[in-house]
């Protein structure tokens, strides 16, 4: 099973290969969510998450999950995963990979 730190490193590598659609500087927050199967990273523009500039908020409906068992990073839609996301619990991942 992947540790949060390992999952974060996989996400950083994934985003390096598949840059996400964000306006501004990409930021991966240190607080994520998890359930028994997946991690759900919190990510977006640094200008939104750190500086609080609403104009940089995401409106894309994209959820990115990191499978805790295989390490697979997969993109999906938030809407059909709403129940899963709401049931997840917070987990501290940290900021360094």
């Amino acid at each position: 099973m992947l540790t949060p730190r390992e999952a974060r490193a996989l996400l950083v590598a994934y985003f390096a290969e598949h840059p996400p659609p964000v306006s501004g500087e990409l930021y991966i927050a240190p607080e994520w969510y998890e359930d028994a199967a997946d991690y759900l990273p919190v990510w977006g523009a640094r200008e939104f998450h750190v500086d609080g500039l609403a104009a940089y908020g995401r409106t894309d409906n994209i959820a990115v999950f990191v499978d805790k068992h295989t390490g697979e990073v997969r993109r999906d839609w938030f809407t059909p995963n709403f129940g899963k996301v709401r049931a997840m619990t917070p987990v501290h991942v940290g900021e360094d990979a």
Side-chain angles (χ1 to χ4, degrees):
M1 174 123 66
L2 290 177
T3 67
R5 183 175 173 84
E6 292 167 332
R8 188 181 194 293
L10 289 170
L11 181 68
V12 168
Y14 176 84
F15 279 161
E17 210 172 297
H18 310 280
V22 295
S23 56
E25 180 186 348
L26 177 62
Y27 175 73
I28 301 170
E31 301 298 332
W32 290 13
Y33 295 89
E34 70 176 338
D35 63 12
D38 297 302
Y39 290 109
L40 174 65
V42 175
W43 59 277
R46 174 175 293 282
E47 293 83 352
F48 177 76
H49 288 281
V50 176
D51 301 332
L53 300 174
Y56 288 88
R58 291 179 40 223
T59 59
D60 56 29
N61 194 31
I62 296 171
V64 176
F65 296 99
V66 181
D67 187 293
K68 288 176 146 184
H69 303 285
T70 67
E72 174 193 12
V73 178
R74 69 186 188 286
R75 292 170 61 134
D76 204 342
W77 303 112
F78 263 112
T79 308
N81 289 290
F82 188 70
K84 174 183 179 67
V85 171
R86 292 218 13 139
M88 294 179 122
T89 57
V91 62
H92 182 74
V93 176
E95 292 195 49
D96 59 336

